[in-house]
Amino acid sequence: MKLKDLNVFKNCRELGISLWQCPQFLFLLMGFIISLSSILVYLIGVKYIQDLYLVALIVVGANLFLLIISFIITHNFEKVAESSRIKSELTGIIIHQLRSPLTNFKWIVETMETGEYKKPIDENLKRMTELTDNLLTITKIEGDSFVLQKSKFFLDKLVLEVLKGFGDICKINNIELDFQYEELEVYADYYQLRLVIENLIGNSIRYTKDGGKIEINIFKKNNKNIFKIKDQGVGIPEKDKKFIFQKFFRSNNILKNKIKGSGLGLYITKTIIEKHKGKIWFETEENKGATFYFSI
Amino acid sequence: MKKILFIEDDTSLQKTLSEFLTKKEYEILKESNGLDGLIAAQKELPDLILLDLILPKLKGLEVLRELKKDDKTKKIPVIIFTNLENVDYVQEATQIGIAGYLIKSHYSLKEIEEIIRENLL
């Protein structure tokens, strides 16, 4: 056993569970509680009971009781930790294994002659690929062992880079993209933040009808870097607002308008922003559009 | 005709890409495990290597390390061709020396061919 193996916090992070579910941390905590309670029981005992043997017996009894409780708690949480580790490992493997046949299928469709079925097959493949990619991202970022690879870069350049990739789809759908920016240097995980921006721009395009306009701004306010994206899409109904960042949630009006998506993008976006200790929020009116903001 | 060595254990995926590249007039050498891939690279000295990471017998990164140690093969451009997005793999492969790191599922056949063309010796 090496000295670094005694780092409980690191070990708990590697198990991919929160501190309060981590057996090693709970073991330490219970040890502390037992020691504290021994002292307290002893102090109270000597104050009210004359017989020192009886006090010792009470202390031993209380310790024994707490020891049994702590054993039950840590033992159960060990099971939770193990099943959590197996679950995320298994999910990762399954999704990863799904990627190869999906990729092959995508390539085979690419070589197919244009025909009646090519377009729907292609669209469904894209949805499946998006879903597996999103699930893979979730298993990665949800794990407590996930660490942001932070570096300094310019947010405006990143947005311009992402926008390049959306140029064609905006042209096809006749959507106007307006980007107002100032030079903003940020310290963040470049690839994760890119994913956030891709998700937000992708959503706005997806929900904006032909001929609509999307406005993107980045600016500094109260020492925070703010990203703002405003669309003229379908908006979010009042009753769905509180669920919008939940995993697999899809609003009724989106389903009604037959807009495709996995319902995972905003959950991923929020998780990544929160990992950066940032905030994400939105303003919306049904059928008039939505404005999403994040600050880092 | 440029020679490409494709080391990939998913033979179905390997077949689709190889057939596409053959039509584009590349000579494709196929190997499905790391050890045979390494031997083929040393014997055939291809113009470019597409290398998967999770391989039987010898892992992709070990193959890459051996290729870069050998004077005969160290200048051959190697493109890592995987579905693993782990940053640790990207960093390790970059440190050893690669021409590119492609996530298979993110690219179309056309895009892969363009990248190969850009990286050929």
Side-chain angles (χ1 to χ4, degrees), chain B residues 3-4 7 12 38 47 57 63 67-68 80 90 121:
Chain B
K3 205 192 286 179
I4 295 166
I7 313 173
S12 157
L38 180 64
D47 297 293
K57 293 190 184 173
V63 175
L67 289 169
K68 294 297 160 188
I80 299 291
V90 183
L121 281 173

Side-chain angles (χ1 to χ4, degrees), chain A residues 10 17-18 21 44-45 55 61 65 74 85 105 117 122 140 146 199 209 216 221 224 232 239 247 255 268:
Chain A
K10 184 176 162 274
I17 48 173
S18 76
Q21 288 180 320
I44 295 166
V55 174
F65 175 72
T74 43
R85 190 189 60 78
F105 198 16
Y117 297 111
D122 211 24
K140 194 165 84 178
F146 173 71
N199 276 343
K209 289 167 192 153
I216 303 168
K221 194 178 173 187
K224 294 264 180 202
Q232 298 173 336
K239 64 178 176 55
K247 239 187 271 186
L255 298 171
I268 291 172

Side-chain angles (χ1 to χ4, degrees), chain A residues 148-196:
Chain A
L148 293 170
Q149 309 284 328
K150 284 187 176 179
S151 63
K152 275 186 183 175
F153 58 89
F154 287 98
L155 187 61
D156 44 302
K157 289 206 173 101
L158 171 59
V159 178
L160 283 168
E161 184 73 30
V162 174
L163 283 175
K164 263 191 225 164
F166 285 106
D168 287 346
I169 192 157
C170 286
K171 217 179 268 176
I172 293 167
N173 293 311
N174 196 23
I175 291 171
E176 188 190 338
L177 267 174
D178 178 40
F179 178 36
Q180 301 288 330
Y181 60 93
E182 51 185 277
E183 203 173 64
L184 281 187
E185 195 177 31
V186 292
Y187 182 63
D189 186 318
Y190 182 86
Y191 292 102
Q192 299 304 327
L193 208 60
R194 187 188 171 107
L195 193 61
V196 164

Side-chain angles (χ1 to χ4, degrees), chain A residues 96 99-101 103-104 106-108 110-111 129 133 136 140 149, chain B residues 10 12-13 16 81 83-85 104-110 112:
Chain A
H96 187 256
R99 265 185 155 184
S100 282
T103 308
N104 197 17
K106 184 175 92 173
W107 290 349
I108 291 169
E110 195 185 330
T111 57
T129 310
D133 282 353
L136 211 58
K140 194 165 84 178
Q149 309 284 328
Chain B
D10 186 330
S12 157
L13 199 113
T16 313
F81 200 57
N83 270 328
L84 293 175
E85 290 184 60
K104 293 174 210 171
S105 62
H106 291 181
Y107 294 90
S108 67
L109 292 170
K110 263 188 200 164
I112 295 165

Side-chain angles (χ1 to χ4, degrees), chain A residues 82-92 139 142:
Chain A
E82 181 62 7
S83 58
S84 160
R85 190 189 60 78
I86 293 171
K87 190 195 83 184
S88 27
E89 212 174 278
L90 211 65
T91 317
T139 51
E142 267 187 349

Side-chain angles (χ1 to χ4, degrees), chain A residues 5-22:
Chain A
D5 293 338
L6 297 174
N7 186 341
V8 174
F9 296 98
K10 184 176 162 274
N11 293 344
C12 292
R13 249 201 326 269
E14 278 171 5
L15 278 171
I17 48 173
S18 76
L19 216 52
W20 297 102
Q21 288 180 320
C22 178

